Amino acid sequence: MDEPLGLLAELTYACPLHCPYCSNPLNLGDFGDELTTEEWRRVVTEAAGLGVLQLHLSGGEPLVRRDLVEIVRHAGDLGLYTNLITSAAGLTPRRAEQLRAAGLDHVQISIQADEPALSDRIAGTPSFARKTAAARLVKDLGWPLTVNVVLHRHNIDRIDRILALAEELAADRVELANTQYYGWAWRNKEALLPSTAQLARAEPVVRAARIRLRDRMEIIYVVPDYHGRYPKPCMGGWGRRQLTVVPNGDVLPCPPAHALPLPRASVREHSLAWIWESSPLFQRFRGTDWMPEPCRSCPRREVDFGGCRCQAFLLTGDAARTDPVCHLSPDHGIVAAAVRAADEAAGRREHVLAPRPHPGRRV
């Protein structure tokens, strides 16, 4: 068993944005009893003891937490590399200076589109101007900047202009990640999944930009699972390299695993080491012994580890089945039908996006 490389700390699910592709849980009110500052400090300390090297601070919107600076400082004192994943709402010059002084290493800002009106419409609130101003502030303070854009049917045709915006903002890295269909994104899947033709137009644009900008900006492009021939290895494999702690202290092998009917594991009841090494949750799909056919006899079984357990559950009702994204899966027809529907719906606007609501919050 490997040591975990990274911890994703979802500090809160509170967020001023209403993105319809959000992967946060649908039942946001169940996560309002957030970990206290001292509990997060203990989690970070235990993570460092477990071998974690990177702490990714996310949500919701992590800047909502008044103790964010303290958590960053504590992680830095333990030698962890800290990455803030933010909508940039609330990243004022004063807050940015505090985080810089506390030792924050990297900032990742989400942008919904290159054009203000479209970006604000997708975000569900006026935010584009604040995001671009925050991105410039990040560069002024000397931080590495990642611009993260979740792609879907409503913005993928603007990928050339999105890349131009990232270049204008002097981003060191841009993540063009097609929507993963969990949480609110699952609810909005029919309105978000891009067509085959849209992907065919986007991919050569990305390839050309990678060549042109190879010495200035790293470009990560993640094709949507539904359009792939093989599934992606979920977080590098279940319980292999990553773990997530959500606002109420539950620990997960990947962010959307809260939806699976599995025993819970909480830092309020057990140490992070016990959860990682011994909990039934982390043992359930670790390795390859759990796999059914065709995964069990597949030469790719230690490449993609059967794909995503959450995706398998959402599409088939059984988290132990082969991810239907795989063309060898007996359930692949479910995914093929979804892609056909996206192709047929191209250019139509019959689906209405359901915005993510604000959760209740207790600290």
Side-chain angles (χ1 to χ4, degrees):
M1 182 177 60
D2 296 323
E3 293 179 343
L5 171 66
L7 169 65
L8 176 63
E10 295 191 325
L11 300 180
T12 178
Y13 285 145
C15 182
L17 273 57
H18 305 274
C19 303
Y21 53 73
C22 183
S23 61
N24 286 169
L26 294 175
N27 55 329
L28 291 171
D30 292 348
F31 297 87
D33 187 16
E34 297 176 2
L35 296 180
T36 65
T37 306
E38 285 308 310
E39 286 174 318
W40 274 117
R41 285 171 58 91
R42 177 173 60 82
V43 167
V44 173
T45 299
E46 291 183 6
L50 195 54
V52 165
L53 301 176
Q54 302 170 357
L55 177 64
H56 304 281
L57 300 155
S58 182
E61 174 47 65
L63 286 164
V64 170
R65 291 280 305 212
R66 292 187 296 271
D67 55 0
L68 177 61
V69 171
E70 184 174 346
I71 294 170
V72 167
R73 182 178 295 111
H74 181 66
D77 289 344
L78 293 169
L80 298 181
Y81 183 89
T82 50
N83 174 35
L84 177 64
I85 305 169
T86 177
S87 69
L91 190 61
T92 62
R94 180 173 180 272
R95 198 81 185 279
E97 291 282 4
Q98 291 173 337
L99 288 165
R100 194 78 178 95
L104 181 69
D105 293 298
H106 183 273
V107 179
Q108 180 172 327
I109 294 177
S110 66
I111 293 178
Q112 282 65 35
D114 65 290
E115 195 273 325
L118 177 59
S119 183
D120 292 347
R121 178 167 65 82
I122 294 170
T125 187
S127 56
F128 180 83
R130 283 178 290 165
K131 288 172 177 288
T132 52
R136 293 185 175 95
L137 173 63
V138 165
K139 295 300 296 184
D140 288 344
L141 290 175
W143 272 310
L145 170 66
T146 292
V147 169
N148 177 54
V149 184
V150 177
L151 297 175
H152 44 79
R153 186 186 305 171
H154 302 268
N155 65 2
I156 194 168
D157 289 326
R158 304 180 65 89
I159 201 165
D160 55 340
R161 285 161 283 190
I162 289 169
L163 284 165
L165 174 63
E167 186 179 1
E168 178 191 334
L169 295 173
D172 301 279
R173 187 168 178 268
V174 58
E175 290 187 4
L176 303 169
N178 273 276
T179 302
Q180 302 294 303
Y181 295 102
Y182 315 111
W184 291 95
W186 171 257
R187 181 172 175 178
N188 285 306
K189 180 177 62 175
E190 288 76 15
L192 292 170
L193 185 63
S195 69
T196 304
Q198 285 183 302
L199 286 177
R201 291 192 295 267
E203 288 173 2
V205 174
V206 174
R207 284 198 301 271
R210 279 175 168 164
I211 294 170
R212 183 173 63 84
L213 298 170
R214 61 182 176 271
D215 296 326
R216 286 184 283 155
M217 186 168 71
E218 180 184 9
I219 299 175
I220 307 298
Y221 179 63
V222 182
V223 176
D225 286 3
Y226 284 34
H227 288 269
R229 183 171 173 81
Y230 295 104
K232 301 178 182 71
C234 177
M235 307 295 287
W238 182 277
R240 292 188 72 239
R241 303 299 286 163
Q242 308 285 335
L243 71 166
T244 298
V245 179
V246 303
N248 69 347
D250 285 352
V251 187
L252 304 169
C254 63
H258 51 74
L260 299 181
L262 294 174
R264 65 188 292 272
S266 172
V267 295
R268 284 173 164 160
E269 299 169 5
H270 298 283
S271 70
L272 206 59
W274 181 87
I275 294 170
W276 175 260
E277 295 165 2
S278 304
S279 68
L281 173 62
F282 274 76
Q283 294 292 342
R284 178 62 182 89
F285 297 114
R286 184 175 267 154
T288 60
D289 290 345
W290 63 272
M291 290 182 175
E293 291 293 354
C295 296
R296 182 178 292 273
S297 57
C298 180
R300 292 179 55 87
R301 64 185 177 276
E302 294 189 8
V303 175
D304 54 40
F305 297 96
C308 176
R309 299 301 86 222
C310 302
Q311 194 157 255
F313 176 72
L314 286 169
L315 290 170
T316 73
D318 183 357
R321 289 184 72 81
T322 299
D323 187 338
V325 161
C326 182
H327 74 287
L328 300 173
S329 166
D331 303 303
H332 183 65
I334 299 171
V335 171
V339 172
R340 284 196 302 271
D343 290 345
E344 293 167 3
R348 301 204 305 263
R349 298 182 180 274
E350 71 275 27
H351 294 295
V352 177
L353 293 170
R356 173 196 189 274
H358 287 306
R361 183 166 182 264
R362 303 188 304 276
V363 179

Short mmCIF file of all heavy atoms in Angstrom, two decimals, residues 260-302:
data_model
loop_
_atom_site.label_atom_id
_atom_site.label_comp_id
_atom_site.label_asym_id
_atom_site.label_seq_id
_atom_site.Cartn_x
_atom_site.Cartn_y
_atom_site.Cartn_z
N LEU A 260 -21.85 6.95 -2.44
CA LEU A 260 -21.84 5.49 -2.47
C LEU A 260 -22.40 4.89 -1.18
O LEU A 260 -22.14 5.42 -0.09
CB LEU A 260 -20.42 4.98 -2.70
CG LEU A 260 -19.73 5.42 -3.99
CD1 LEU A 260 -18.34 4.81 -4.08
CD2 LEU A 260 -20.57 5.05 -5.20
N PRO A 261 -23.12 3.78 -1.25
CA PRO A 261 -23.66 3.13 -0.04
C PRO A 261 -22.60 2.30 0.65
O PRO A 261 -22.63 1.06 0.65
CB PRO A 261 -24.80 2.27 -0.62
CG PRO A 261 -24.34 1.92 -2.00
CD PRO A 261 -23.57 3.12 -2.49
N LEU A 262 -21.63 2.98 1.26
CA LEU A 262 -20.52 2.32 1.92
C LEU A 262 -20.39 2.85 3.34
O LEU A 262 -20.86 3.94 3.66
CB LEU A 262 -19.21 2.61 1.15
CG LEU A 262 -19.10 2.03 -0.25
CD1 LEU A 262 -17.83 2.52 -0.93
CD2 LEU A 262 -19.13 0.51 -0.23
N PRO A 263 -19.73 2.09 4.24
CA PRO A 263 -19.53 2.57 5.61
C PRO A 263 -18.77 3.88 5.62
O PRO A 263 -17.81 4.05 4.87
CB PRO A 263 -18.71 1.46 6.27
CG PRO A 263 -18.88 0.26 5.40
CD PRO A 263 -19.12 0.76 4.01
N ARG A 264 -19.20 4.82 6.44
CA ARG A 264 -18.51 6.10 6.50
C ARG A 264 -17.28 6.00 7.39
O ARG A 264 -17.16 5.10 8.24
CB ARG A 264 -19.45 7.21 6.99
CG ARG A 264 -19.93 7.03 8.41
CD ARG A 264 -20.99 8.06 8.77
NE ARG A 264 -20.46 9.40 8.83
CZ ARG A 264 -19.93 9.96 9.91
NH1 ARG A 264 -19.83 9.25 11.04
NH2 ARG A 264 -19.48 11.19 9.89
N ALA A 265 -16.36 6.94 7.20
CA ALA A 265 -15.17 7.04 8.04
C ALA A 265 -14.95 8.51 8.34
O ALA A 265 -14.92 9.33 7.42
CB ALA A 265 -13.96 6.46 7.33
N SER A 266 -14.82 8.86 9.61
CA SER A 266 -14.74 10.26 10.01
C SER A 266 -13.53 10.51 10.89
O SER A 266 -13.20 9.70 11.76
CB SER A 266 -16.01 10.67 10.76
OG SER A 266 -15.88 11.97 11.31
N VAL A 267 -12.90 11.68 10.68
CA VAL A 267 -11.77 12.06 11.54
C VAL A 267 -12.24 12.40 12.94
O VAL A 267 -11.42 12.53 13.85
CB VAL A 267 -10.99 13.24 10.94
CG1 VAL A 267 -10.32 12.85 9.62
CG2 VAL A 267 -11.88 14.47 10.76
N ARG A 268 -13.54 12.57 13.14
CA ARG A 268 -14.07 12.80 14.47
C ARG A 268 -14.19 11.49 15.27
O ARG A 268 -14.45 11.52 16.47
CB ARG A 268 -15.44 13.48 14.38
CG ARG A 268 -15.32 14.96 14.03
CD ARG A 268 -16.64 15.62 13.77
NE ARG A 268 -16.50 17.09 13.82
CZ ARG A 268 -17.36 17.94 13.29
NH1 ARG A 268 -18.43 17.49 12.63
NH2 ARG A 268 -17.16 19.24 13.40
N GLU A 269 -13.98 10.37 14.59
CA GLU A 269 -14.10 9.06 15.26
C GLU A 269 -12.82 8.25 15.19
O GLU A 269 -12.59 7.38 16.05
CB GLU A 269 -15.25 8.27 14.62
CG GLU A 269 -16.60 8.95 14.76
CD GLU A 269 -17.69 8.30 13.91
OE1 GLU A 269 -17.38 7.24 13.28
OE2 GLU A 269 -18.80 8.83 13.84
N HIS A 270 -11.99 8.48 14.17
CA HIS A 270 -10.79 7.68 13.98
C HIS A 270 -9.64 8.57 13.50
O HIS A 270 -9.87 9.66 12.96
CB HIS A 270 -11.01 6.57 12.95
CG HIS A 270 -12.06 5.57 13.35
ND1 HIS A 270 -11.83 4.58 14.27
CD2 HIS A 270 -13.34 5.43 12.93
CE1 HIS A 270 -12.92 3.86 14.41
NE2 HIS A 270 -13.86 4.35 13.61
N SER A 271 -8.43 8.06 13.66
CA SER A 271 -7.28 8.79 13.12
C SER A 271 -7.25 8.65 11.61
O SER A 271 -7.79 7.70 11.03
CB SER A 271 -5.98 8.22 13.70
OG SER A 271 -5.73 6.92 13.18
N LEU A 272 -6.59 9.61 10.98
CA LEU A 272 -6.47 9.56 9.52
C LEU A 272 -5.67 8.32 9.10
O LEU A 272 -5.98 7.71 8.07
CB LEU A 272 -5.78 10.84 9.03
CG LEU A 272 -6.08 11.28 7.60
CD1 LEU A 272 -7.57 11.52 7.38
CD2 LEU A 272 -5.30 12.55 7.27
N ALA A 273 -4.70 7.94 9.88
CA ALA A 273 -3.88 6.76 9.55
C ALA A 273 -4.74 5.50 9.56
O ALA A 273 -4.64 4.66 8.66
CB ALA A 273 -2.72 6.64 10.52
N TRP A 274 -5.59 5.33 10.58
CA TRP A 274 -6.45 4.14 10.63
C TRP A 274 -7.41 4.11 9.44
O TRP A 274 -7.63 3.07 8.82
CB TRP A 274 -7.24 4.11 11.93
CG TRP A 274 -8.12 2.88 12.01
CD1 TRP A 274 -7.77 1.65 12.49
CD2 TRP A 274 -9.48 2.77 11.55
NE1 TRP A 274 -8.83 0.77 12.36
CE2 TRP A 274 -9.89 1.43 11.79
CE3 TRP A 274 -10.39 3.66 10.98
CZ2 TRP A 274 -11.17 0.97 11.47
CZ3 TRP A 274 -11.66 3.20 10.65
CH2 TRP A 274 -12.05 1.88 10.89
N ILE A 275 -7.96 5.28 9.13
CA ILE A 275 -8.89 5.35 8.00
C ILE A 275 -8.19 4.94 6.71
O ILE A 275 -8.71 4.15 5.92
CB ILE A 275 -9.50 6.75 7.89
CG1 ILE A 275 -10.39 7.04 9.10
CG2 ILE A 275 -10.29 6.91 6.60
CD1 ILE A 275 -10.84 8.48 9.21
N TRP A 276 -7.01 5.48 6.47
CA TRP A 276 -6.27 5.18 5.24
C TRP A 276 -5.86 3.71 5.17
O TRP A 276 -5.99 3.07 4.12
CB TRP A 276 -5.04 6.08 5.15
CG TRP A 276 -4.15 5.78 3.99
CD1 TRP A 276 -2.98 5.06 4.01
CD2 TRP A 276 -4.34 6.18 2.63
NE1 TRP A 276 -2.44 5.00 2.76
CE2 TRP A 276 -3.26 5.68 1.88
CE3 TRP A 276 -5.31 6.92 1.97
CZ2 TRP A 276 -3.11 5.88 0.51
CZ3 TRP A 276 -5.18 7.13 0.60
CH2 TRP A 276 -4.10 6.61 -0.11
N GLU A 277 -5.38 3.18 6.28
CA GLU A 277 -4.78 1.86 6.26
C GLU A 277 -5.78 0.72 6.49
O GLU A 277 -5.61 -0.37 5.94
CB GLU A 277 -3.68 1.78 7.33
CG GLU A 277 -2.50 2.70 7.06
CD GLU A 277 -1.61 2.89 8.27
OE1 GLU A 277 -1.89 2.26 9.32
OE2 GLU A 277 -0.63 3.65 8.16
N SER A 278 -6.84 0.97 7.29
CA SER A 278 -7.65 -0.16 7.76
C SER A 278 -9.15 -0.02 7.59
O SER A 278 -9.86 -1.02 7.74
CB SER A 278 -7.36 -0.38 9.27
OG SER A 278 -5.99 -0.57 9.50
N SER A 279 -9.66 1.16 7.32
CA SER A 279 -11.12 1.32 7.28
C SER A 279 -11.75 0.51 6.16
O SER A 279 -11.18 0.37 5.07
CB SER A 279 -11.49 2.79 7.11
OG SER A 279 -11.13 3.25 5.82
N PRO A 280 -12.92 -0.08 6.41
CA PRO A 280 -13.63 -0.81 5.34
C PRO A 280 -13.87 0.03 4.10
O PRO A 280 -13.83 -0.48 2.98
CB PRO A 280 -14.96 -1.20 6.02
CG PRO A 280 -14.64 -1.25 7.48
CD PRO A 280 -13.63 -0.16 7.70
N LEU A 281 -14.08 1.35 4.28
CA LEU A 281 -14.31 2.22 3.13
C LEU A 281 -13.12 2.24 2.18
O LEU A 281 -13.27 2.06 0.97
CB LEU A 281 -14.61 3.64 3.62
CG LEU A 281 -14.71 4.73 2.54
CD1 LEU A 281 -15.86 4.44 1.59
CD2 LEU A 281 -14.88 6.11 3.17
N PHE A 282 -11.93 2.43 2.72
CA PHE A 282 -10.74 2.52 1.87
C PHE A 282 -10.29 1.14 1.37
O PHE A 282 -9.64 1.05 0.33
CB PHE A 282 -9.61 3.23 2.60
CG PHE A 282 -9.68 4.72 2.46
CD1 PHE A 282 -10.60 5.47 3.18
CD2 PHE A 282 -8.84 5.40 1.58
CE1 PHE A 282 -10.70 6.85 3.03
CE2 PHE A 282 -8.92 6.77 1.43
CZ PHE A 282 -9.86 7.50 2.15
N GLN A 283 -10.65 0.07 2.08
CA GLN A 283 -10.29 -1.26 1.63
C GLN A 283 -11.21 -1.77 0.53
O GLN A 283 -10.81 -2.65 -0.25
CB GLN A 283 -10.35 -2.24 2.82
CG GLN A 283 -9.33 -1.99 3.91
CD GLN A 283 -7.91 -2.28 3.46
OE1 GLN A 283 -7.68 -2.96 2.48
NE2 GLN A 283 -6.93 -1.74 4.19
N ARG A 284 -12.41 -1.22 0.42
CA ARG A 284 -13.45 -1.84 -0.41
C ARG A 284 -13.03 -2.03 -1.87
O ARG A 284 -13.27 -3.10 -2.45
CB ARG A 284 -14.73 -0.99 -0.34
CG ARG A 284 -15.88 -1.51 -1.20
CD ARG A 284 -16.32 -2.90 -0.75
NE ARG A 284 -17.38 -3.43 -1.60
CZ ARG A 284 -17.18 -4.14 -2.72
NH1 ARG A 284 -15.93 -4.38 -3.13
NH2 ARG A 284 -18.20 -4.59 -3.42
N PHE A 285 -12.45 -1.02 -2.51
CA PHE A 285 -12.10 -1.12 -3.92
C PHE A 285 -10.60 -0.90 -4.15
O PHE A 285 -10.18 -0.54 -5.25
CB PHE A 285 -12.91 -0.13 -4.75
CG PHE A 285 -14.39 -0.39 -4.70
CD1 PHE A 285 -15.24 0.53 -4.11
CD2 PHE A 285 -14.93 -1.55 -5.24
CE1 PHE A 285 -16.61 0.30 -4.06
CE2 PHE A 285 -16.29 -1.79 -5.21
CZ PHE A 285 -17.14 -0.86 -4.61
N ARG A 286 -9.82 -1.12 -3.10
CA ARG A 286 -8.37 -0.96 -3.25
C ARG A 286 -7.78 -2.19 -3.94
O ARG A 286 -8.18 -3.31 -3.65
CB ARG A 286 -7.75 -0.75 -1.87
CG ARG A 286 -6.27 -0.47 -1.87
CD ARG A 286 -5.81 -0.16 -0.45
NE ARG A 286 -5.80 1.25 -0.13
CZ ARG A 286 -5.93 1.76 1.09
NH1 ARG A 286 -6.11 0.95 2.12
NH2 ARG A 286 -5.90 3.07 1.29
N GLY A 287 -6.87 -1.96 -4.86
CA GLY A 287 -6.25 -3.08 -5.56
C GLY A 287 -7.14 -3.62 -6.66
O GLY A 287 -7.93 -2.89 -7.27
N THR A 288 -7.04 -4.92 -6.92
CA THR A 288 -7.76 -5.54 -8.03
C THR A 288 -8.60 -6.76 -7.64
O THR A 288 -9.34 -7.28 -8.48
CB THR A 288 -6.77 -5.96 -9.13
OG1 THR A 288 -5.83 -6.91 -8.59
CG2 THR A 288 -5.99 -4.76 -9.69
N ASP A 289 -8.50 -7.22 -6.42
CA ASP A 289 -9.20 -8.46 -6.04
C ASP A 289 -10.72 -8.33 -6.11
O ASP A 289 -11.42 -9.33 -6.30
CB ASP A 289 -8.80 -8.88 -4.61
CG ASP A 289 -7.37 -9.38 -4.54
OD1 ASP A 289 -6.79 -9.67 -5.61
OD2 ASP A 289 -6.83 -9.48 -3.42
N TRP A 290 -11.24 -7.12 -5.96
CA TRP A 290 -12.69 -6.90 -5.96
C TRP A 290 -13.30 -6.96 -7.36
O TRP A 290 -14.52 -7.03 -7.51
CB TRP A 290 -13.00 -5.52 -5.37
CG TRP A 290 -12.41 -4.40 -6.20
CD1 TRP A 290 -11.17 -3.87 -6.07
CD2 TRP A 290 -13.02 -3.74 -7.30
NE1 TRP A 290 -10.96 -2.90 -7.02
CE2 TRP A 290 -12.08 -2.81 -7.79
CE3 TRP A 290 -14.27 -3.84 -7.93
CZ2 TRP A 290 -12.35 -1.98 -8.88
CZ3 TRP A 290 -14.54 -3.01 -9.00
CH2 TRP A 290 -13.59 -2.09 -9.48
N MET A 291 -12.46 -6.93 -8.40
CA MET A 291 -12.95 -6.68 -9.75
C MET A 291 -13.78 -7.82 -10.32
O MET A 291 -13.45 -8.99 -10.17
CB MET A 291 -11.76 -6.43 -10.69
CG MET A 291 -11.05 -5.12 -10.47
SD MET A 291 -9.70 -4.91 -11.66
CE MET A 291 -9.18 -3.25 -11.24
N PRO A 292 -14.86 -7.47 -11.03
CA PRO A 292 -15.60 -8.46 -11.81
C PRO A 292 -14.99 -8.59 -13.20
O PRO A 292 -14.06 -7.86 -13.56
CB PRO A 292 -16.99 -7.82 -11.90
CG PRO A 292 -16.68 -6.34 -11.99
CD PRO A 292 -15.45 -6.13 -11.12
N GLU A 293 -15.50 -9.51 -13.99
CA GLU A 293 -15.15 -9.52 -15.41
C GLU A 293 -15.95 -8.42 -16.12
O GLU A 293 -17.04 -8.08 -15.67
CB GLU A 293 -15.49 -10.90 -16.02
CG GLU A 293 -14.61 -12.03 -15.52
CD GLU A 293 -13.15 -11.91 -15.95
OE1 GLU A 293 -12.82 -11.00 -16.74
OE2 GLU A 293 -12.35 -12.71 -15.46
N PRO A 294 -15.40 -7.81 -17.15
CA PRO A 294 -14.15 -8.16 -17.84
C PRO A 294 -12.89 -7.56 -17.23
O PRO A 294 -11.80 -7.79 -17.74
CB PRO A 294 -14.40 -7.59 -19.23
CG PRO A 294 -15.24 -6.38 -18.99
CD PRO A 294 -16.15 -6.76 -17.87
N CYS A 295 -13.03 -6.79 -16.13
CA CYS A 295 -11.84 -6.15 -15.54
C CYS A 295 -10.83 -7.17 -15.01
O CYS A 295 -9.62 -7.00 -15.17
CB CYS A 295 -12.26 -5.22 -14.41
SG CYS A 295 -13.29 -3.83 -14.90
N ARG A 296 -11.34 -8.22 -14.36
CA ARG A 296 -10.45 -9.14 -13.65
C ARG A 296 -9.39 -9.74 -14.58
O ARG A 296 -8.23 -9.92 -14.16
CB ARG A 296 -11.28 -10.24 -13.00
CG ARG A 296 -10.46 -11.24 -12.19
CD ARG A 296 -11.35 -12.27 -11.53
NE ARG A 296 -12.17 -11.64 -10.49
CZ ARG A 296 -11.77 -11.49 -9.23
NH1 ARG A 296 -10.56 -11.88 -8.87
NH2 ARG A 296 -12.57 -10.94 -8.34
N SER A 297 -9.75 -10.06 -15.81
CA SER A 297 -8.79 -10.67 -16.73
C SER A 297 -8.25 -9.68 -17.76
O SER A 297 -7.56 -10.09 -18.70
CB SER A 297 -9.46 -11.84 -17.46
OG SER A 297 -10.63 -11.41 -18.15
N CYS A 298 -8.51 -8.38 -17.57
CA CYS A 298 -8.09 -7.37 -18.54
C CYS A 298 -6.64 -6.95 -18.29
O CYS A 298 -6.24 -6.71 -17.14
CB CYS A 298 -9.00 -6.15 -18.46
SG CYS A 298 -8.57 -4.82 -19.62
N PRO A 299 -5.82 -6.84 -19.33
CA PRO A 299 -4.43 -6.40 -19.13
C PRO A 299 -4.32 -4.96 -18.65
O PRO A 299 -3.25 -4.54 -18.20
CB PRO A 299 -3.80 -6.56 -20.52
CG PRO A 299 -4.95 -6.56 -21.48
CD PRO A 299 -6.10 -7.19 -20.74
N ARG A 300 -5.43 -4.19 -18.70
CA ARG A 300 -5.42 -2.81 -18.22
C ARG A 300 -5.89 -2.69 -16.77
O ARG A 300 -6.08 -1.58 -16.27
CB ARG A 300 -6.32 -1.95 -19.12
CG ARG A 300 -5.81 -1.76 -20.53
CD ARG A 300 -6.79 -0.91 -21.34
NE ARG A 300 -7.08 0.37 -20.72
CZ ARG A 300 -6.35 1.48 -20.89
NH1 ARG A 300 -5.27 1.44 -21.67
NH2 ARG A 300 -6.68 2.60 -20.29
N ARG A 301 -6.07 -3.79 -16.08
CA ARG A 301 -6.69 -3.73 -14.75
C ARG A 301 -5.86 -2.92 -13.75
O ARG A 301 -6.40 -2.36 -12.80
CB ARG A 301 -6.95 -5.13 -14.20
CG ARG A 301 -5.71 -5.97 -13.96
CD ARG A 301 -6.10 -7.39 -13.52
NE ARG A 301 -4.94 -8.24 -13.36
CZ ARG A 301 -4.34 -8.89 -14.35
NH1 ARG A 301 -4.81 -8.78 -15.58
NH2 ARG A 301 -3.29 -9.64 -14.13
N GLU A 302 -4.53 -2.84 -13.95
CA GLU A 302 -3.69 -2.02 -13.07
C GLU A 302 -3.28 -0.72 -13.75
O GLU A 302 -2.37 -0.03 -13.29
CB GLU A 302 -2.47 -2.82 -12.62
CG GLU A 302 -2.85 -3.99 -11.72
CD GLU A 302 -1.65 -4.66 -11.08
OE1 GLU A 302 -0.53 -4.13 -11.22
OE2 GLU A 302 -1.84 -5.70 -10.44
#
